[in-house]
Amino acid sequence: MKFIIDRFDGSKNYKQAYELSLEQIKGKTLLGVLQFIKQNLDITLNFTAACRMAICGACAVRVNGHSYLACDTKMEALLAEYENPDSFTISPLNNFRVISDLVVDWEPSIENLRKIKPTITPKKEFSADKGCKQSPEQMERVKKQWDCILCGCCASECNKLGADASDYMQPFVFTHANRAAFDSRSKDAMPHLKPAVLNGLWLCVHCQECADRCPKGISAQSDITALRALAMKKGLTAGSGPGHAEAFLLDIVEGSGRLNEIKLALRSEGVFANMGKMDVAANLMAAGKMNPLHVFGGEEIEGHAGLVKMIETARKAQASGEIE
């Protein structure tokens, strides 16, 4: 079997192929294969690895364009997933600067983690003597987020980072902001929440790739959604993102239950911001994607009354403290 590895020597990118027999692959993990290549075929191959226990996240790479935690990926499973191919292409994580071969630069990600202040300041009732106690339910709220091992698989798959990383933090950064903001022991969620809002919280494109590829089953997209709801609850409602969310809710509850696309842009960004987008609106109307008559409202969806009743019940439960 052929393993084609994307390599980088500091100045140029190139591909290098290594031939391994099925016997040499048998019983190994993907990390085991990389180690076999380095130890037996090419000592110059560079990659990152540490504990081999799927808890440090160091060894994440891409195989055939998808992210995997190398130490947690058995070759038998990989062969089955790709239906016994003749070759695999192994590449460094996407959306990271490559330092050497499969080694990527984590410093910008660490800086983003510093922005959201991942450590918490405990509430005043806690002390060195009393400790910081949590109920099982409170711990359950942040348990999944604590499982994040900073492997970078979610960031590698993120379509928003691929399109423009200048105004958006890596998905795992939002997961750690969520963990800190929702921790019952935390004195204040705002030190974690505000930096998340200022660094792209509302720019997630909902592609769900982060959730699909996380080796720990964490959904960074769900964590982002929860942070958005908390931000609005805390009064951080400036910008087009919160306006967009409010427009959705308005159409669902007070409207017909259908999204009013004519009003959506106006509610989200205002009249002046949309003056230069009239050509886009005209093209959508010409293509039948937007009906100008919907500005007066649309036909109510089936079951709309029941949906509104559910939302109002949830609001009452939230107001009484029964749910968050």
Side-chain angles (χ1 to χ4, degrees):
M1 163 160 281
K2 186 180 293 186
F3 287 84
I4 303 168
I5 300 181
D6 286 323
R7 303 197 62 181
F8 177 63
D9 64 5
S11 60
K12 68 177 184 296
N13 295 290
Y14 61 100
K15 295 182 183 291
Q16 188 159 352
Y18 302 92
E19 291 281 353
L20 276 74
S21 68
L22 290 177
E23 190 61 31
Q24 290 170 323
I25 295 169
K26 186 177 179 181
K28 288 184 174 63
T29 61
L30 175 58
L31 177 57
V33 168
L34 290 174
Q35 290 172 326
F36 180 88
I37 292 172
K38 186 173 182 69
Q39 292 166 4
N40 297 279
L41 302 178
D42 187 352
I43 197 172
T44 69
L45 177 65
N46 290 321
F47 56 89
T48 307
C51 69
R52 304 195 207 180
M53 300 296 289
I55 57 173
C56 73
C59 61
V61 293
R62 283 186 296 151
V63 178
N64 293 354
H66 298 290
S67 302
Y68 295 85
L69 194 60
C71 70
D72 197 37
T73 303
K74 295 178 174 61
M75 286 307 304
E76 282 82 358
L78 206 56
L79 286 165
E81 181 178 349
Y82 288 97
E83 299 179 342
N84 297 308
D86 295 327
S87 66
F88 283 116
T89 298
I90 304 176
S91 313
L93 291 177
N94 199 23
N95 300 322
F96 287 81
R97 184 180 73 86
V98 179
I99 296 174
S100 175
D101 297 339
L102 303 177
V103 180
V104 298
D105 182 11
W106 267 83
E107 192 54 38
S109 301
I110 300 303
E111 286 300 319
N112 283 335
L113 281 167
R114 291 191 180 106
K115 288 177 184 177
I116 55 95
K117 298 177 175 59
T119 56
I120 63 172
T121 302
K123 294 175 179 176
K124 289 183 179 180
E125 60 261 36
F126 297 129
S127 67
D129 296 328
K130 295 180 180 179
C132 298
K133 296 180 180 179
Q134 281 184 308
S135 68
E137 292 76 20
Q138 290 169 333
M139 179 58 192
E140 195 65 31
R141 172 60 187 82
V142 293
K143 180 181 177 181
K144 200 64 182 175
Q145 287 74 22
W146 272 109
D147 285 343
C148 175
I149 56 176
L150 298 176
C151 64
C153 285
C154 60
S156 179
E157 302 288 331
C158 178
N159 285 312
K160 166 55 184 165
L161 287 176
D164 181 8
S166 65
D167 55 1
Y168 190 69
M169 296 190 294
Q170 293 81 1
F172 57 79
V173 179
F174 293 111
T175 285
H176 282 271
N178 180 295
R179 170 188 56 72
F182 283 97
D183 195 307
S184 62
R185 301 165 296 181
S186 179
K187 178 181 178 181
D188 186 11
M190 294 300 270
H192 321 290
L193 189 57
K194 281 185 177 179
V197 171
L198 293 173
N199 289 277
L201 181 65
W202 288 94
L203 298 178
C204 169
V205 298
H206 309 284
C207 65
Q208 290 286 354
E209 293 290 344
C210 57
D212 289 345
R213 302 309 303 184
C214 176
K216 294 297 182 181
I218 301 167
S219 174
Q221 195 276 321
S222 295
D223 294 335
I224 289 168
T225 299
L227 283 173
R228 287 175 174 180
L230 182 61
M232 296 189 72
K233 184 178 178 181
K234 294 286 188 180
L236 302 177
T237 56
S240 61
H244 200 70
E246 289 283 9
F248 267 79
L249 186 60
L250 192 65
D251 285 340
I252 290 172
V253 179
E254 297 181 15
S256 64
R258 299 179 189 275
L259 181 64
N260 192 319
E261 295 183 0
I262 295 291
K263 294 181 179 179
L264 178 62
L266 298 174
R267 290 168 174 166
S268 301
E269 300 176 337
V271 175
F272 292 108
N274 281 278
M275 293 296 289
K277 300 178 181 179
M278 299 302 292
D279 57 331
V280 177
N283 290 335
L284 288 171
M285 291 178 193
K289 300 291 186 180
M290 185 184 291
N291 186 346
L293 297 178
H294 284 171
V295 70
F296 303 109
E299 183 181 350
E300 190 170 291
I301 64 169
E302 184 179 350
H304 181 241
L307 175 62
V308 172
K309 187 175 180 180
M310 289 170 58
I311 293 172
E312 293 300 335
T313 300
R315 283 174 169 173
K316 288 178 182 178
Q318 186 179 45
S320 66
E322 295 177 43
I323 61 173
E324 288 187 1

